[in-house]
Amino acid sequence: MLHRLAVLILLSSACASLPVPALGRPQDRSAAESPKVAVQADGAVGVPAQTVPVSTFLSPEAKEYLAQHLKDMQDPEILKQDAGVPRFMKRYLARDYALFPVERKDEKVGGVHAYVYTPKAGVSARNKDRVLINLHGGGFSGCWPGCAELESIPVAALGKIEVVSIDYRESPEYKFPAASEDVASVYRELLKSHKSQDIGIYGCSAGGMQTAMSVAWFQTHSLPAPGAIGIFCASAGGVLGGDALYTAVPLGEARLALPGAPGAAPPLSYFSGTDPTDPLVSPINSPETLAKFPPTLIITGTRGFELSSALYTHEQLVKLGVEAELHVWEGLFHGFFYNADVPESRDAFNVIVKFFDRHLGG
Amino acid sequence: MLHRLAVLILLSSACASLPVPALGRPQDRSAAESPKVAVQADGAVGVPAQTVPVSTFLSPEAKEYLAQHLKDMQDPEILKQDAGVPRFMKRYLARDYALFPVERKDEKVGGVHAYVYTPKAGVSARNKDRVLINLHGGGFSGCWPGCAELESIPVAALGKIEVVSIDYRESPEYKFPAASEDVASVYRELLKSHKSQDIGIYGCSAGGMQTAMSVAWFQTHSLPAPGAIGIFCASAGGVLGGDALYTAVPLGEARLALPGAPGAAPPLSYFSGTDPTDPLVSPINSPETLAKFPPTLIITGTRGFELSSALYTHEQLVKLGVEAELHVWEGLFHGFFYNADVPESRDAFNVIVKFFDRHLGG
């Protein structure tokens, strides 16, 4: 008669013989020696201090990248932006220019400033009538053009597709719904020469949030849904919360979430004056809005602070019958694919390219 | 000129105004007061002790279930099995019998003992030529019929489909490849009356591992691939490792992984004498084997100790061009869907049913 502890021991012992590198086991074999996990009545878990190595599943390049990233996150100097490029991102940009030959035109599309990327090798025949809109990350307060470049260049080159990255209006000068208006202006312009099902929209972090907000915005502004969307490093409402606060934040950002209860922080100035229950601000709150989402690709990582809300978004879309595809990179953090030299980043770009290829019309 | 710390603060402040319940923020606003996260040269992270609440994204039922589960995992008495049913699972079984009317026949299929489930409401017209094979969890050393029942009854009833749950040979009396042989015997028998594309195979934990091992076994034993498979609470090789050791194990199993380095544990007696690099034992090691996998559904949770290896399995299948679908339940643990009263479990069963409906032939 085996109890589950023994089952766990046996199961994990089985796995000790399986080739997972640097395998550990979950059970506490020497209970008297190890620190304990305490469980409170409400299910809260007191977890003792731990030293957590980089994940054994990562490529060698990703392990090195993660180690560097964690050190960067603790260095205020390297986090600063110069002309819209965070310093730690400069080396990633230089590599993108070397790896992915693209043309970049500085234009206005529907009256909104944008960079229009096309691959130097040419747009593929399949993609001649298609276009992707990129909405860059940066907290609605920066990272143009740095994040725009890192999100657009590899996709344009690897996807052999045109990418329009929108320099949407942001804080501190502008407030919601400025970015939603700008995306709609560009979208309307593109609709003059493209079918809606041939247009995809995607972005990372703030850009992922804005992608979801734009889909909601189109619903209430007489615009058709795009053919497919990508919500990366983000969710359809709320980036933080859940288990990720305690797992991904320390392991991916090298800091603790604010200890104790969630408090009120002064609202981001971009969102000041907004109603948090408004589906145009936070589509996750409206099943009616979510149910009309087009096919949606969600990308995150076990160390992305958005992990929990991204997973919750995926669950809700699935429940509502939306075709939602989830990819979670083990051991990797918020926006990891900004470094294109890492194999896992290449895998992510391949997933993005294939997703849009499969779901856009034509 | 904003640095990323400010970006994070701003982003998280944005989210403080978004309706994610009990929202926290990742940044350390009062650095002098809070414990620090230490980053080592190799990227290992020293995480201070934390108290981690149940995830804010869970349904009320799931929060209660998680709290109870964590207490159960620390109670050796309730983990014991009586006649193949772990005591903590008895109430879940009683509910399954009440919720999901099925007929269960105790039979031999291809000479192997099995339970054959059919919904009392009848198999649907769509499913009349289809059958699912369930491989139960239990560490290759128990949990028949408890886990078999919990994995089969809801699927048979909700899916309106026949489910054959195999009582495969296990430790301590038998060793690898006894279970693989038994699955193959049943499969060969079903192939006399079903097309391979109309047969699906799925299981949780050891059953998920065995599902992957069986797909590999069929490849080297002149058997066609099944139409679709489900690897739940498991991976295609190795259940443990990665970030999950440090996140999911404490938060989902209320214990710490063995502190310090992974050590050698005596191999599970079921796998004694096996070669850990053998694709029949651990398909994850063989891209050639994995590349021939049929459409695969992977189900896990942020608190499942299999999380990291399940995600790695998904990434590898996707890279190899296999149609692999991932669902990760925020805040939930290994085998969470055994409790069918929890809304998230119903969502999981719906995902399973829809997946097989979409991918099986006919």
Side-chain angles (χ1 to χ4, degrees):
Chain A
M1 222 177 272
L2 298 161
H3 58 81
R4 183 151 167 178
L5 175 60
V7 169
L8 272 178
I9 292 171
L10 293 170
L11 183 57
S12 56
S13 305
C15 304
S17 64
L18 296 172
V20 176
L23 191 59
R25 277 160 307 288
Q27 80 289 0
D28 189 349
R29 306 295 292 290
S30 46
E33 305 155 11
S34 304
K36 291 278 180 215
V37 167
V39 179
Q40 297 177 13
D42 61 0
V45 179
V47 186
Q50 299 188 92
T51 299
V52 184
V54 297
S55 173
T56 49
F57 288 104
L58 292 179
S59 66
E61 296 91 333
K63 286 180 180 174
E64 214 175 289
Y65 173 42
L66 171 59
Q68 185 61 50
H69 165 80
L70 289 167
K71 290 164 206 151
D72 288 348
M73 289 304 104
Q74 296 195 323
D75 175 0
E77 284 304 305
I78 208 175
L79 299 176
K80 291 180 179 166
Q81 295 190 29
D82 297 321
V85 182
R87 290 173 186 167
F88 72 96
M89 288 187 194
K90 289 184 182 179
R91 55 187 181 272
Y92 309 153
L93 260 182
R95 289 295 296 147
D96 271 13
Y97 296 148
L99 290 166
F100 305 117
V102 296
E103 300 283 356
R104 183 186 76 203
K105 292 187 190 148
D106 191 324
E107 297 188 347
K108 289 218 168 184
V109 180
V112 179
H113 182 232
Y115 282 174
V116 180
Y117 298 88
T118 46
K120 279 195 177 156
V123 168
S124 69
R126 281 177 75 73
N127 288 332
K128 66 177 179 61
D129 298 323
R130 295 166 161 178
V131 64
L132 295 179
I133 294 173
N134 167 252
L135 307 176
H136 68 90
F140 293 97
S141 56
C143 209
W144 172 277
C147 292
E149 298 255 90
L150 292 173
E151 294 175 28
S152 302
I153 292 172
V155 172
L158 292 169
K160 296 183 166 45
I161 190 166
E162 181 181 8
V163 178
V164 175
S165 190
I166 304 177
D167 183 13
Y168 54 83
R169 280 171 296 153
E170 298 188 307
S171 195
E173 299 90 350
Y174 302 99
K175 299 186 184 325
F176 177 92
S180 298
E181 290 170 343
D182 287 351
V183 177
S185 298
V186 172
Y187 190 61
R188 274 191 200 95
E189 184 65 29
L190 293 175
L191 282 169
K192 293 177 184 173
S193 51
H194 301 78
K195 299 180 193 157
S196 61
Q197 54 264 47
D198 290 340
I199 302 175
I201 307 177
Y202 73 97
C204 173
S205 199
M209 291 168 69
Q210 184 57 53
T211 297
M213 290 193 285
S214 285
V215 171
W217 187 267
F218 297 169
Q219 291 179 20
T220 55
H221 290 78
S222 309
L223 288 166
I229 63 168
I231 300 175
F232 309 153
C233 339
S235 70
V239 179
L240 307 175
D243 285 356
L245 272 189
Y246 305 92
T247 57
V249 171
L251 298 180
E253 301 296 316
R255 69 186 72 255
L256 287 185
L258 202 65
L268 179 64
S269 66
Y270 178 77
F271 287 100
S272 67
T274 59
D275 170 8
T277 64
D278 182 349
L280 297 177
V281 173
S282 200
I284 196 69
N285 289 317
S286 167
E288 194 185 290
T289 303
L290 282 188
K292 293 182 281 189
F293 266 43
T296 299
L297 173 63
I298 294 173
I299 287 179
T300 181
T302 56
R303 299 191 182 205
F305 58 81
E306 75 282 355
L307 173 69
S308 295
S309 50
L311 297 178
Y312 181 76
T313 289
H314 178 248
E315 289 172 46
Q316 300 314 302
L317 287 170
V318 168
K319 279 177 82 159
L320 291 164
V322 173
E323 188 159 355
E325 182 176 316
L326 175 69
H327 292 257
V328 183
W329 265 270
E330 157 60 13
L332 287 168
F333 49 89
H334 184 72
F336 70 90
F337 51 85
Y338 277 11
N339 179 343
D341 278 322
V342 171
E344 288 86 339
S345 301
R346 295 303 189 102
D347 296 339
F349 286 123
N350 287 338
V351 163
I352 293 167
V353 161
K354 282 186 187 164
F355 173 82
F356 282 115
D357 185 57
R358 190 162 59 248
H359 288 291
L360 292 180
Chain B
M1 227 179 268
L2 297 162
H3 56 83
R4 184 151 168 179
L5 173 60
V7 169
L8 272 178
I9 292 171
L10 293 170
L11 183 58
S12 57
S13 303
C15 302
S17 65
L18 296 173
V20 175
L23 190 59
R25 278 160 309 289
Q27 80 290 0
D28 189 350
R29 308 293 294 288
S30 46
E33 306 155 9
S34 305
K36 291 278 181 217
V37 167
V39 179
Q40 297 177 13
D42 61 0
V45 178
V47 186
Q50 298 187 94
T51 298
V52 184
V54 297
S55 172
T56 49
F57 289 104
L58 292 179
S59 67
E61 295 92 333
K63 286 179 180 174
E64 216 177 286
Y65 173 42
L66 171 59
Q68 185 61 50
H69 166 80
L70 289 168
K71 291 163 204 154
D72 288 348
M73 289 305 105
Q74 296 194 322
D75 176 0
E77 285 304 305
I78 208 174
L79 300 176
K80 291 180 177 165
Q81 294 188 30
D82 298 321
V85 181
R87 289 173 187 168
F88 71 96
M89 289 187 194
K90 290 182 181 179
R91 54 188 181 272
Y92 308 153
L93 260 181
R95 290 295 296 147
D96 271 13
Y97 296 147
L99 290 166
F100 305 117
V102 297
E103 300 280 357
R104 182 187 76 201
K105 293 189 190 145
D106 191 324
E107 298 188 346
K108 288 219 169 184
V109 180
V112 179
H113 182 233
Y115 282 174
V116 179
Y117 297 88
T118 46
K120 278 193 176 155
V123 167
S124 69
R126 280 178 75 73
N127 289 331
K128 67 177 179 60
D129 297 324
R130 295 165 161 179
V131 64
L132 294 179
I133 293 173
N134 167 253
L135 306 176
H136 69 91
F140 292 97
S141 56
C143 208
W144 172 277
C147 293
E149 298 257 271
L150 292 173
E151 294 175 29
S152 302
I153 291 172
V155 172
L158 293 169
K160 296 182 164 47
I161 190 167
E162 182 182 10
V163 178
V164 175
S165 190
I166 303 178
D167 184 12
Y168 53 82
R169 281 172 296 153
E170 298 187 307
S171 196
E173 299 89 350
Y174 301 100
K175 299 186 185 325
F176 177 93
S180 299
E181 291 171 342
D182 287 349
V183 177
S185 297
V186 173
Y187 190 62
R188 274 190 200 96
E189 184 65 27
L190 293 175
L191 283 169
K192 293 178 185 172
S193 50
H194 300 78
K195 298 179 193 160
S196 60
Q197 54 265 46
D198 290 340
I199 302 176
I201 307 179
Y202 74 97
C204 174
S205 199
M209 291 167 66
Q210 185 56 53
T211 296
M213 290 194 285
S214 284
V215 171
W217 187 267
F218 298 169
Q219 291 178 19
T220 56
H221 290 78
S222 310
L223 288 166
I229 63 169
I231 300 175
F232 309 153
C233 339
S235 69
V239 179
L240 307 177
D243 286 355
L245 271 189
Y246 305 91
T247 57
V249 171
L251 298 180
E253 301 297 318
R255 69 186 72 256
L256 287 185
L258 202 65
L268 179 65
S269 67
Y270 178 78
F271 287 100
S272 67
T274 58
D275 170 8
T277 64
D278 182 349
L280 297 177
V281 173
S282 200
I284 196 68
N285 289 318
S286 167
E288 195 185 289
T289 303
L290 283 188
K292 293 183 280 187
F293 267 43
T296 299
L297 173 65
I298 294 172
I299 287 179
T300 181
T302 56
R303 299 192 181 205
F305 58 80
E306 75 282 356
L307 174 68
S308 296
S309 50
L311 297 178
Y312 181 76
T313 290
H314 178 248
E315 289 172 46
Q316 300 314 303
L317 287 169
V318 168
K319 279 177 80 156
L320 291 163
V322 173
E323 188 160 355
E325 181 177 316
L326 175 69
H327 292 254
V328 183
W329 265 269
E330 158 60 12
L332 287 168
F333 49 89
H334 184 74
F336 70 90
F337 51 84
Y338 276 11
N339 180 343
D341 277 321
V342 171
E344 287 87 338
S345 301
R346 296 302 189 102
D347 296 338
F349 286 123
N350 286 338
V351 162
I352 294 168
V353 161
K354 282 185 186 165
F355 173 82
F356 283 115
D357 185 56
R358 190 162 59 247
H359 288 290
L360 292 181

